[in-house]
Amino acid sequence: MNHILRYTGRILFLLLCLLPIACSDDTLPDDKPQTGEPLNLSVSFGAMTRVAELGSPDAMNEATESGTLKNVGLYIYYTDDYKKGDLTRPYIRNLECHIVGGQLKPLTDEAIYIYDRMTIVAFYPYNANVGKLTNKSEEEKYPITMGDYSQQTYIPYRAQLETNPTIAYAAKLHFAPKHTAKIEVVFVSATPIPNYTNPQLLPAIDTVNASTGDHREQMIDGNTLYPKNNTSPLGGCYARQYTAYIWKTKTTDSHHDTNEKHNDNTIRQGDLLFKSDEITLFASQNVEISEDRIYRYGYNINTGEVFIPTSTELIVDATSLQAMSLNDHSVYQVCDINLSGEWTPLKTFKGSYDGGGHKITGLKITNPPTGLLEVGLFGRIIAGSTLRNINLENPIIELDFGTNKDTIAVGALCGRNNKDLDEADKEALKASLNLPAGMSEVVVQALLDELIAGLSQSPCNIIACRVNNPEIKISGQNLRVGTLCGINGDEESKGNITDAYALWGTIALNGTTPHDNNKDCNAGGFCGLNTAKGQIKRCYTTSIAAAAANTTAGTPPVTTTKEYADGFAASEKGAIFTECYSSSPTATATLFSKKQPDWNIYTGKWPVYINDWNGDSASGNHSYFWQSLNATNGEYPQLVWER
């Protein structure tokens, strides 16, 4: 950090020297200052945007469907001016740029130097005919087409950031659509789904407003079959995904008028959502369309289930689950799947997995890859990841780790919830920074250290998950074994488990194997070990971790602590348990904390509609997770998705 301070000090000194140049004149000289720091602009865009469907930022160099529009128009203003709404004195105005290796550069590839606090605004695609933008109102109407706005058929994208010389080498432009929302409708079926004839999404909205000329074109991708629609799905389903883009217009006071109800692009309960020659869907609730948002809706043709996918990428069977990316990934499971056969744990996952309450059966792990120390459906999840609404049925894990002396974490859902980054993780993170060549290694290391520190402060979350009837038999030393999770948290990284439970099943350690039995072993009916960085809230278990049958060569595993009874979890000093239950062998509930748990019973319908159709069940509103105190297996609550 001292190195960063020295580096920053030199930049500040340079800024003081340049201050008269940056601020004294009302107009910039023709020759822009070739001092300061060179700007290094990387480009990204979100999965909810149409730009993302180009495949990569480099595709922004290619002409759009109109055949003429491409590249990026770049504006750079003094931040003080920009905040005042004065766009009359730009440092750079409508400079045509292209993308080279994910970096935004002028077509001439000349360097841009940042010597003051600057605001960068970019538009895609580039329009050479744009006049001077003197205020933000004019900027808002940046014309993407060369002609009439009412005939615009491509979505405008805009990016903005503030930068200065100290961070100009690592600036990133994130493009998002303007005046536009995306709609996705997913059909799921046990049999192949036909390519529906004449598909339309929100047909009533695809109109021209006579008073404004607003085209609001849908641009529907109507013949897109979901890529992972397998010909012979194993315990899964077929899926077909339809996508549309609609213009978002300003809400008016007349939107309650029946004749004008679509003028603000509001979707109302009972409105026609999807129409084809073969099938019709109606909206199940009111939805207020917002700019730069994606709205998803799912329908199971066989069961009539309505679900809200929380991701564009779908998990439809064991193949798509095993093959999914493990880095910065977001997926949604649309149906019950059967893993069937030996499962290879997903080693290191960073992202979000939403099971939608659909079952995962057939999890069997008896022969993990060599050297794998975290074992479960997921080996470990890291750096702010989330697992939610996952429903594991009858998982089987039977492993002998021999005399391996490393700490081993085993749980049906995940081996470890948020493990500290190892050296391989850090090297991958360093490579992802995409910093310019020649940068001081001191600065690079300082940036990496700061990023790692930020990740370690981002807890991983397991929310509203269930493990039913697990059978876990593990032999070895230094074991941490639980039904749901082996280890929650690490020395620096936080792990949270909230509103989850485990039912019945067994855990056994070193039952018949003559190792140095149970040396430094922990077993829990819910979690093997809750670390000082771990927090478990509103969770319970009826699974009992059995003591070892053969303990002559060592000590029995820790299945209980002074504070926490009946093998729920072993804990380190500082670990947090809030409103948690376990049960005795007679299935009588045993309360850990002194306070009666606040289950916040939910009486509505599943799926839960939070943030319209985005299904954001990780919003922290836990009243949406539990539905009943009178479950089949005694006085235990069940999760909403079990409805």
Side-chain angles (χ1 to χ4, degrees):
M1 189 57 70
N2 288 335
H3 294 298
I4 284 184
L5 292 175
R6 287 197 293 271
Y7 177 77
T8 305
R10 290 195 292 270
I11 295 299
L12 291 175
F13 175 76
L14 181 60
L15 280 174
L16 290 174
C17 295
L18 293 172
L19 192 59
I21 299 175
C23 304
S24 60
D25 288 337
D26 290 336
T27 58
L28 219 77
D30 292 337
D31 296 328
K32 298 181 178 66
Q34 297 299 297
T35 52
E37 288 298 312
L39 180 64
N40 180 63
L41 269 177
S42 60
V43 175
S44 67
F45 36 65
M48 70 179 62
T49 70
R50 198 177 192 200
V51 171
E53 292 156 16
L54 294 174
S56 75
D58 297 279
M60 295 168 77
N61 300 332
E62 301 170 4
T64 65
E65 63 261 39
S66 68
T68 58
L69 305 178
K70 63 179 181 179
N71 292 337
V72 172
L74 182 69
Y75 292 74
I76 301 181
Y77 304 96
Y78 301 102
T79 295
D80 289 344
D81 288 346
Y82 193 81
K83 287 183 175 179
K84 294 175 183 177
D86 180 6
L87 279 57
T88 62
R89 194 172 67 107
Y91 173 40
I92 290 176
R93 185 195 300 278
N94 205 22
L95 177 65
E96 186 173 8
C97 299
H98 60 168
I99 313 295
V100 180
Q103 304 290 307
L104 187 71
K105 298 178 181 295
L107 290 183
T108 59
D109 284 342
E110 63 180 302
I112 298 174
Y113 291 88
I114 297 298
Y115 62 95
D116 200 347
R117 292 187 305 120
M118 299 291 197
T119 296
I120 299 174
V121 180
F123 295 93
Y124 166 76
Y126 170 74
N127 188 345
N129 296 331
V130 173
K132 291 184 177 181
L133 304 179
T134 61
N135 55 62
K136 291 184 180 178
S137 177
E138 291 180 0
E139 180 193 272
E140 180 74 12
K141 299 176 182 178
Y142 182 95
I144 302 303
T145 60
M146 303 297 182
D148 186 355
Y149 182 85
S150 68
Q151 298 305 310
Q152 184 164 302
T153 57
Y154 202 81
I155 298 170
Y157 286 86
R158 181 182 183 277
Q160 178 181 332
L161 64 86
E162 291 184 10
T163 191
N164 59 61
T166 63
I167 59 174
Y169 53 78
K172 177 174 287 188
L173 280 174
H174 184 86
F175 281 88
K178 294 294 292 180
H179 315 296
T180 311
K182 179 177 178 179
I183 307 290
E184 289 179 354
V185 171
V186 175
F187 292 95
V188 169
S189 175
T191 56
I193 302 171
N195 182 8
Y196 293 133
T197 309
N198 300 320
Q200 288 181 291
L201 273 169
L202 305 173
I205 288 181
D206 188 14
T207 59
V208 175
N209 185 309
S211 61
T212 65
D214 175 19
H215 193 51
R216 290 184 291 180
E217 186 167 341
Q218 286 201 36
M219 295 173 287
I220 184 170
D221 296 328
N223 296 322
T224 303
L225 182 67
Y226 188 69
K228 289 185 171 58
N229 186 87
N230 298 326
T231 54
S232 299
L234 176 60
C237 66
Y238 295 87
R240 186 177 286 275
Q241 190 175 67
Y242 290 85
T243 302
Y245 301 85
I246 61 173
W247 299 116
K248 169 67 178 75
T249 57
K250 185 177 181 180
T251 301
T252 63
D253 293 337
S254 64
H255 76 280
H256 293 293
D257 188 318
T258 302
N259 295 326
E260 299 291 334
K261 70 177 182 177
H262 290 295
N263 280 358
D264 62 352
N265 289 8
T266 298
I267 302 173
R268 302 187 182 281
Q269 186 175 10
D271 277 358
L272 195 58
L273 175 64
F274 180 91
K275 180 182 180 180
S276 73
D277 292 353
E278 297 86 0
I279 192 169
T280 300
L281 286 181
F282 296 93
S284 58
Q285 67 166 126
N286 294 342
V287 177
E288 295 288 339
I289 298 296
S290 299
E291 179 181 83
D292 189 21
R293 292 286 295 275
I294 183 169
Y295 299 90
R296 302 184 178 99
Y297 190 94
Y299 179 70
N300 189 310
I301 296 171
N302 303 118
T303 66
E305 176 198 5
V306 173
F307 56 91
I308 306 300
T310 53
S311 174
T312 296
E313 184 164 353
L314 310 178
I315 299 298
V316 299
D317 60 9
T319 302
S320 57
L321 175 55
Q322 187 78 77
M324 76 174 182
S325 169
L326 301 180
N327 188 34
D328 289 321
H329 216 50
S330 174
V331 297
Y332 181 87
Q333 180 183 328
V334 297
C335 62
D336 294 347
I337 61 177
N338 186 344
L339 302 183
S340 184
E342 184 70 20
W343 175 253
T344 301
L346 299 166
K347 185 177 179 182
T348 302
F349 179 71
K350 183 176 183 295
S352 174
Y353 189 104
D354 188 339
H358 301 108
K359 293 179 182 179
I360 297 178
T361 58
L363 175 68
K364 183 178 182 181
I365 306 174
T366 58
N367 185 28
T370 302
L372 189 63
L373 302 178
E374 292 96 19
V375 178
L377 177 67
F378 298 86
R380 55 173 169 159
I381 63 174
I382 64 170
S385 298
T386 298
L387 306 180
R388 59 184 175 185
N389 302 326
I390 297 176
N391 182 11
L392 268 177
E393 290 278 345
N394 305 312
I396 297 173
I397 305 178
E398 297 183 5
L399 299 169
D400 186 343
F401 289 94
T403 57
N404 189 315
K405 300 188 184 305
D406 295 315
T407 299
I408 296 165
V410 179
L413 184 59
C414 71
R416 188 158 205 157
N417 183 26
N418 210 4
K419 178 177 171 56
D420 292 342
L421 301 182
D422 57 27
E423 290 306 314
D425 296 326
K426 292 176 182 178
E427 285 300 315
L429 191 60
K430 181 178 178 181
S432 71
L433 291 177
N434 197 24
L435 297 174
M439 180 174 290
S440 166
E441 279 300 316
V442 173
V443 175
V444 172
Q445 188 58 48
L447 287 171
L448 185 62
D449 291 344
E450 184 176 352
L451 185 56
I452 292 172
L455 291 175
S456 68
Q457 294 303 310
S458 301
C460 286
N461 295 289
I462 297 175
I463 304 171
C465 294
R466 181 185 84 149
V467 176
N468 185 46
N469 196 34
E471 183 180 331
I472 302 176
K473 298 178 181 179
I474 310 296
S475 296
Q477 303 174 17
N478 304 310
L479 305 174
R480 310 287 185 266
V481 185
T483 49
L484 186 124
C485 176
I487 303 177
N488 186 37
D490 207 339
E491 293 182 3
E492 299 295 334
S493 301
K494 299 177 182 179
N496 295 332
I497 306 176
T498 310
D499 298 302
Y501 71 96
L503 280 180
W504 317 121
T506 59
I507 294 179
L509 271 61
N510 295 317
T512 59
T513 308
H515 295 309
D516 185 5
N517 294 313
N518 305 314
K519 182 177 180 180
D520 190 26
C521 291
N522 300 126
F526 185 80
C527 177
L529 177 67
N530 193 25
T531 71
K533 294 289 185 178
Q535 179 172 256
I536 303 178
K537 298 173 64 176
R538 290 185 300 275
C539 296
Y540 71 86
T541 182
T542 62
S543 303
I544 304 301
N550 180 357
T551 62
T552 56
T555 57
V558 177
T559 60
T560 182
T561 68
K562 182 178 180 181
E563 296 85 6
Y564 306 106
D566 294 321
F568 183 86
S571 65
E572 294 180 347
K573 184 177 180 180
I576 296 175
F577 295 85
T578 305
E579 300 175 346
C580 292
Y581 270 113
S582 71
S583 68
S584 69
T586 59
T588 301
T590 301
L591 181 62
F592 290 164
S593 60
K594 296 179 181 179
K595 179 183 176 183
Q596 177 70 23
D598 180 12
W599 295 107
N600 296 323
I601 304 305
Y602 175 66
T603 58
K605 296 180 179 180
W606 177 265
V608 175
Y609 300 106
I610 304 176
N611 292 339
D612 298 321
W613 289 348
N614 290 280
D616 182 16
S617 58
S619 64
N621 190 339
H622 299 289
S623 64
Y624 286 93
F625 294 132
W626 299 103
Q627 64 119 325
S628 173
L629 283 175
N630 298 308
T632 304
N633 296 321
E635 294 296 318
Y636 296 101
Q638 290 181 308
L639 294 166
V640 171
W641 48 255
E642 293 182 78
R643 188 182 290 265

